[in-house]
Amino acid sequence: MKRALSLTLFLLLAIYASAGRASYDIIPLPQEMKVDTTQLFILADGMSITYDASNAESSRIAQFMQEWVKEATGIVLGLTPDNKNAQVKLRLASPTTLKGKKNKKPVAQTEQEKESYTLSVGKDGIMLTAHEPVGLFRAAQTLRKALPVTKGQQAAADGKQAIELPFATISDQPRFAYRGVLLDCARHFFPLDFVKQYIDVMALHGCNQFHWHLSDDQGWRFEVKALPDLAVKGSVREKTVIGPSRMRIYDNVPYGGYYTQDECRELVRYAAERYINVIPEIDMPGHMMSALHVYPNLGCTGGPYAVSPNWGVMRDVLCGGNPETLEFLKTVFGEICDVFPSPYIHIGGDECPKERWQKCPKCQSKIKELGLTDESLVKVEGGDSRGTQDGRSAENKLQSYINQEIEQFLSSRGRSIIGWDEILAGGLTEDAIVMSWRGTKGGVAAAKQKHRVIMSPNVYAYIDHPQLKDYGKQPRTTDSYVVSCSKIYSFEPIVPDELSGQDSDYILGVQANLWAEQVAFPEHALYQLLPRLGAMCEVQWCAPEKKDFDSFKARLPQLKKLYDKMGLVYCNEVE
Ligand code: TNX
C-alpha cells in the first residue's frame, strides 16, 4: 500500500514539476470569492487559452494572459480561438452578478458594471467571463496576480511546468468608476518607455485613469505644432535648484525634454490597450513660467521670464486681460484635443496668485468690462493655499471667466474640464469636475453643488511625500509630512458625516499624485509609487466594509513577488 502511494506520488511529480499553488488573496481584493482549497485544477505546459476570434480585444487579452502566465510560472500556453476544449476560456457574456443571479437587466450599466467579471476555476479549467472586454482584462489581471511566481524553479524530468489552482468562483467589480494616478513629467521629464511601464503598473493595480501633468513653471513637455518654440524653448530650464528652494543653490546643468505628438499618440494607444484613459493636464493660468519664457507678451509685466529653476508658487502667471491669452490657450487645448481622445481634459487652475492681476491695467479693465466685483474675501473652502487667495474676489472671478471660455471651447469638442479645487473660488463653471487636493473640503463643497468630484487630498494621496517616518531610510523627497501606506489605506472618499445620499454619487473616484520636484529618475518614481499604489488601489476598488489593513499587509508579499519578477523597484517596508 505504502509502495503504491509513493509510486503514485512519484509519477505525479514526474509528470508535473508542480511548482506552486495559486492564491486568490490578491490586491485589490475582489468583492466576492468562494474558494475550495480541497479541490485543485492543474494548469500545465501545453494547455491552451481560447477566446472569441471575432473580437480583436478578446484576442489581445488572451495574448496578455499567455505572457503573464509565462512570466510568473514559466508555463507556456497555446492560443486557440473558438476552441471549446481549451483549459483557459475568455468569454464575453453576462457574468453572474455579485448576488449570484444572472444579470438580465437590459438597462444601461454603470461604468463599474461595465468592468465587472467572474473568474471561475473548476474541474474543466479556468473561465473568465465579462460583459465587455475591459472586464475580461480585469479578470485576466486577477488570475495573473493569483498565480504563484515560480518561474525559474526546476522542471520535472520531462520539462513540464505545472501549477495548482484551488477551485474558486470570484465575482468582482470596482467600487469607483474613476481610479487615477498622476505622474508629473513637467518638474522632471520621464522617458516614454518609463511612462509605458507606469501604465503597466497602473493596470496591474486595476487603475483606469492616467493623469499626465505636461506643463508647469519648470518645463513645457507637449509639442504644439502651431507654436513650435513652445516645446523647443519652453521645455528647457538652465539649471535646477539643489535642496530647498530658499537656499538658492543650483546645479547649473540645463535640463529639458518634451513629448512629440506622435509619442503622445503612441502612449494613448498603449494605455488604451490596457484600458487606461490618458488625461492630459495643461496647468493654467498659473504655473506657466515655461510658456511665459517663450511668449513674454502673455504675462502682465511683459517679462523677461525664465523657465523656473526653482520649485513652489510663482507670482508671474498668464495675463487675464490680454485677449492673446485666450487665443494661446485655445491653440494649445485644440491640439491637446487632436492628440488625446479623453472625455476629460485637465486645465489645472491651482496656485494662481493674483497680485499681478491686481496691478495690471489689462486685467483690471477686463474685470470692469465683465462687471466682476469683490464679494467675499474670506476663505470659502480648502486648506493650505500656498500664496493664493481664496474667496470671491474679482480676480478669482476673472480666473473663472477664463475657465468658462476654455470649458465652452472644450465642450464644443465634446470634452469636460477637470480643475484643481481652487477653481471653486471664483465660482464653478457649469460642467467643471473638481479635483480636491487641499483636503476633502473642496470636493465636498463641489459635490453639494452637484459637480462631479475626484478626491485626491494631499495628506492621503500625495505620494511625492515620504512613506516611512524615518526620513533617513528612504530617498530624499518632498518632506513636510509622511503619507504612509496605512494613512492612504484609511482614506474614505465618501467623507463620513459630510457626504451622503445623492451627494456621494458625485464622487467619481480617487487619485494618487506623484509630483516630481524631488523625483528625477524612474527607479525613484517606482519607489515612491510602490507599494503605496497597492494601498491606494484598495481605496479605489474595494467596498469599505471589506477593507482591512492587516489583511492588506498579509496579502502584500505575494504582490511583491510579482513586482520582483517584473523588475520593479519598491519600498520594502510598510508603515
Ligand atoms: C501642490 S497639487 C501642487 C503641485 C506640487 C505639489 C507638491 C497642486 C494642485 N499643486 O504643484 O507639485 O503640491 O506636493
Side-chain angles (χ1 to χ4, degrees):
M1 179 66 186
K2 246 190 180 172
R3 261 199 160 172
L5 251 178
S6 46
L7 192 70
T8 328
L9 211 75
F10 172 79
L11 278 176
L12 265 175
L13 283 175
I15 297 170
Y16 304 117
S18 187
R21 184 174 289 192
S23 159
Y24 308 106
D25 288 335
I26 61 162
I27 293 171
L29 191 67
Q31 305 287 9
E32 286 193 8
M33 327 200 246
K34 275 189 214 110
V35 181
D36 176 1
T37 48
T38 66
Q39 304 198 70
L40 301 171
F41 173 74
I42 308 287
L43 184 72
D45 271 331
M47 293 182 172
S48 56
I49 307 177
T50 193
Y51 55 93
D52 177 354
S54 66
N55 185 292
E57 289 177 69
S58 160
S59 144
R60 192 169 47 226
I61 295 162
Q63 284 171 43
F64 281 135
M65 195 69 258
Q66 186 189 38
E67 268 169 43
W68 296 337
V69 169
K70 186 160 177 246
E71 172 185 56
T73 65
I75 294 173
V76 181
L77 298 176
L79 285 176
T80 57
D82 302 323
N83 173 3
K84 280 201 193 94
N85 299 320
Q87 293 79 7
V88 183
K89 301 187 182 72
L90 306 187
R91 201 169 59 114
L92 279 169
S94 288
T96 47
T97 63
L98 291 181
K99 290 183 188 69
K101 287 182 234 128
K102 282 273 177 221
N103 186 356
K104 292 198 183 117
K105 279 187 297 180
V107 292
Q109 300 167 348
T110 64
E111 290 302 312
Q112 291 93 317
E113 277 168 343
K114 283 186 191 154
E115 295 190 64
S116 68
Y117 68 88
T118 58
L119 169 66
S120 58
V121 178
K123 64 177 184 352
D124 297 329
I126 304 168
M127 172 91 90
L128 297 78
T129 313
H131 293 286
E132 311 238 354
V134 58
L136 283 183
F137 184 77
R138 304 279 171 240
Q141 290 280 11
T142 290
L143 180 57
R144 174 194 197 183
K145 284 181 277 190
L147 297 172
V149 177
T150 59
K151 190 178 174 186
Q153 293 193 5
Q154 260 201 321
D158 66 355
K160 268 199 171 180
Q161 304 276 349
I163 53 155
E164 304 163 346
L165 292 107
F167 284 11
T169 310
I170 296 175
S171 305
D172 199 14
Q173 71 178 44
R175 178 183 182 199
F176 290 106
Y178 184 110
R179 305 179 303 280
V181 187
L182 171 147
L183 182 63
D184 171 9
C185 291
R187 272 56 175 270
H188 282 101
F189 174 79
F190 293 95
L192 195 70
D193 276 345
F194 175 67
V195 185
K196 288 182 180 169
Q197 187 181 32
Y198 201 81
I199 295 285
D200 287 334
V201 174
M202 285 180 59
L204 179 72
H205 293 81
C207 304
N208 67 347
Q209 305 290 333
F210 173 55
H211 176 166
W212 203 4
H213 190 73
L214 283 171
S215 74
D216 216 303
D217 296 310
Q218 298 80 9
W220 186 280
R221 310 279 175 230
F222 172 67
E223 176 193 26
V224 178
K225 301 240 191 226
L227 305 167
D229 280 352
L230 186 52
V232 172
K233 296 186 180 156
S235 63
V236 184
R237 57 178 180 258
E238 278 181 1
K239 55 186 181 180
T240 304
V241 71
I242 301 171
S245 286
R246 69 188 143 75
M247 310 281 290
R248 297 282 188 267
I249 302 171
Y250 299 95
D251 63 2
N252 295 324
V253 181
Y255 183 93
Y258 66 89
Y259 306 100
T260 64
Q261 293 197 355
D262 282 346
E263 287 172 323
C264 294
R265 287 200 173 92
E266 188 183 323
L267 187 80
V268 166
R269 229 177 3 253
Y270 188 89
E273 286 175 357
R274 287 148 186 86
Y275 299 93
I276 291 174
N277 173 50
V278 180
I279 303 173
E281 178 186 358
I282 297 296
D283 197 349
M284 67 93 193
H287 287 284
M288 269 284 172
M289 293 298 287
S290 54
L292 289 175
H293 170 66
V294 188
Y295 303 110
N297 56 309
L298 299 179
C300 294
T301 65
Y305 307 101
V307 181
S308 178
N310 301 311
W311 316 124
V313 178
M314 310 294 148
R315 257 192 306 236
D316 286 299
V317 302
L318 292 179
C319 173
N322 183 348
E324 288 170 318
T325 292
L326 280 176
E327 245 173 74
F328 165 81
L329 289 172
K330 287 179 187 173
T331 304
V332 170
F333 281 114
E335 294 199 21
I336 282 275
C337 288
D338 294 342
V339 173
F340 296 96
S342 172
Y344 319 116
I345 305 292
H346 206 302
I347 63 162
D350 60 314
E351 300 178 325
C352 179
K354 299 295 170 356
E355 58 179 278
R356 293 290 191 232
W357 288 12
Q358 281 160 349
K359 297 198 184 95
C360 166
K362 285 190 196 135
C363 290
Q364 290 305 317
S365 82
K366 190 74 192 173
I367 282 174
K368 262 214 188 108
E369 178 198 320
L370 295 167
L372 308 176
T373 51
D374 286 336
E375 271 169 68
S376 152
L377 298 182
V378 293
K379 279 190 174 202
V380 278
E381 54 267 318
D384 136 55
S385 51
R386 299 215 307 183
T388 58
Q389 172 204 40
D390 276 322
R392 291 266 128 106
S393 66
E395 285 76 18
N396 281 346
K397 290 182 185 173
L398 181 58
Q399 184 175 347
S400 289
Y401 160 77
I402 296 172
N403 293 346
Q404 192 183 354
E405 288 285 315
I406 298 306
E407 175 175 296
Q408 277 166 9
F409 174 78
L410 289 173
S411 151
S412 73
R413 310 271 309 241
R415 321 303 178 89
S416 299
I417 61 166
I418 305 180
W420 298 107
D421 58 47
E422 283 91 336
I423 64 167
L424 276 149
L428 284 180
T429 52
E430 207 180 321
D431 184 40
I433 302 170
V434 172
M435 194 167 263
S436 190
W437 74 277
R438 297 172 302 168
T440 52
K441 286 210 179 85
V444 169
K448 294 201 160 149
Q449 292 175 39
K450 310 221 173 300
H451 280 261
R452 288 172 290 171
V453 169
I454 296 147
M455 287 292 191
S456 191
N458 47 7
V459 294
Y460 294 102
Y462 273 35
I463 54 173
D464 55 324
H465 283 257
Q467 51 196 316
L468 306 173
K469 281 183 219 89
D470 182 349
Y471 286 9
K473 281 187 179 169
Q474 55 209 311
R476 180 171 187 279
T477 182
T478 317
D479 59 6
S480 47
Y481 50 85
V482 176
V483 178
S484 62
C485 272
S486 56
K487 179 78 184 176
I488 296 174
Y489 204 85
S490 70
F491 179 52
E492 174 43 45
I494 310 292
V495 187
D497 304 327
E498 305 251 7
L499 284 172
S500 59
Q502 282 197 334
D503 292 342
S504 25
D505 294 344
Y506 288 93
I507 309 299
L508 293 183
V510 192
Q511 179 171 297
N513 294 338
L514 181 43
W515 298 105
E517 287 94 332
Q518 309 298 335
V519 181
F521 303 102
E523 291 78 3
H524 186 186
L526 288 173
Y527 181 94
Q528 295 299 119
L529 184 67
L530 300 174
R532 285 189 285 189
L533 187 56
M536 178 49 93
C537 80
E538 296 225 327
V539 177
Q540 296 173 329
W541 191 283
C542 302
E545 61 279 8
K546 298 242 168 100
K547 278 171 60 203
D548 176 75
F549 190 62
D550 288 333
S551 145
F552 166 77
K553 276 198 292 191
R555 284 179 279 120
L556 196 53
Q558 180 166 329
L559 185 59
K560 283 194 200 165
K561 281 194 195 149
L562 196 50
Y563 289 168
D564 286 331
K565 184 56 72 183
M566 294 167 77
L568 300 171
V569 175
Y570 57 88
C571 173
N572 209 14
E573 281 178 57
V574 169
E575 285 178 0

Coordinates of all heavy atoms in Angstrom, one line a residue, residues 1-12:
M1 N 0.8 -1.2 0.0 CA 0.0 0.0 0.0 C 0.9 1.3 0.0 O 0.7 2.2 -0.8 CB -0.9 -0.1 1.2 CG -1.8 1.1 1.4 SD -3.0 1.2 0.0 CE -3.8 2.8 0.3
K2 N 1.8 1.3 1.0 CA 2.7 2.4 1.1 C 3.5 2.6 -0.2 O 3.6 3.7 -0.7 CB 3.7 2.1 2.2 CG 3.6 3.1 3.3 CD 4.7 2.9 4.3 CE 4.6 3.9 5.4 NZ 5.6 3.6 6.5
R3 N 3.9 1.5 -0.8 CA 4.6 1.5 -2.0 C 3.8 2.1 -3.2 O 4.3 2.9 -3.9 CB 5.0 0.1 -2.4 CG 6.4 -0.3 -2.0 CD 6.8 -1.5 -2.8 NE 8.1 -1.6 -2.9 CZ 8.7 -2.7 -3.4 NH1 7.9 -3.6 -3.9 NH2 10.0 -2.8 -3.5
A4 N 2.6 1.6 -3.2 CA 1.7 2.1 -4.3 C 1.5 3.6 -4.2 O 1.6 4.4 -5.2 CB 0.3 1.4 -4.2
L5 N 1.4 4.1 -2.9 CA 1.2 5.5 -2.7 C 2.4 6.3 -3.2 O 2.3 7.3 -3.9 CB 1.0 5.8 -1.2 CG -0.4 6.2 -0.8 CD1 -0.5 6.4 0.7 CD2 -0.8 7.5 -1.5
S6 N 3.6 5.8 -2.8 CA 4.8 6.6 -3.2 C 5.0 6.6 -4.7 O 5.5 7.5 -5.3 CB 6.0 6.2 -2.4 OG 6.1 4.8 -2.4
L7 N 4.6 5.4 -5.3 CA 4.7 5.3 -6.7 C 3.8 6.4 -7.4 O 4.3 7.1 -8.3 CB 4.3 3.9 -7.2 CG 4.7 3.6 -8.6 CD1 6.2 3.5 -8.7 CD2 4.0 2.3 -9.1
T8 N 2.6 6.5 -6.9 CA 1.7 7.5 -7.5 C 2.3 8.9 -7.3 O 2.3 9.7 -8.3 CB 0.3 7.5 -6.8 OG1 0.0 6.2 -6.4 CG2 -0.8 8.0 -7.6
L9 N 2.8 9.1 -6.1 CA 3.3 10.4 -5.9 C 4.5 10.7 -6.8 O 4.6 11.8 -7.4 CB 3.8 10.5 -4.4 CG 3.8 11.8 -3.8 CD1 2.3 12.2 -3.4 CD2 4.6 11.8 -2.5
F10 N 5.3 9.7 -7.0 CA 6.5 9.8 -7.8 C 6.0 10.1 -9.3 O 6.6 11.0 -9.9 CB 7.3 8.5 -7.8 CG 8.4 8.6 -8.8 CD1 9.6 9.3 -8.6 CD2 8.3 7.9 -10.1 CE1 10.6 9.3 -9.5 CE2 9.3 7.9 -11.0 CZ 10.4 8.6 -10.7
L11 N 5.0 9.4 -9.7 CA 4.5 9.6 -11.1 C 4.0 11.0 -11.3 O 4.3 11.7 -12.3 CB 3.4 8.6 -11.4 CG 4.0 7.2 -11.8 CD1 2.8 6.2 -12.0 CD2 4.8 7.3 -13.1
L12 N 3.2 11.4 -10.3 CA 2.7 12.8 -10.3 C 3.8 13.8 -10.5 O 3.7 14.7 -11.3 CB 1.8 13.1 -9.1 CG 0.4 12.8 -9.2 CD1 -0.3 13.0 -7.9 CD2 -0.3 13.7 -10.3

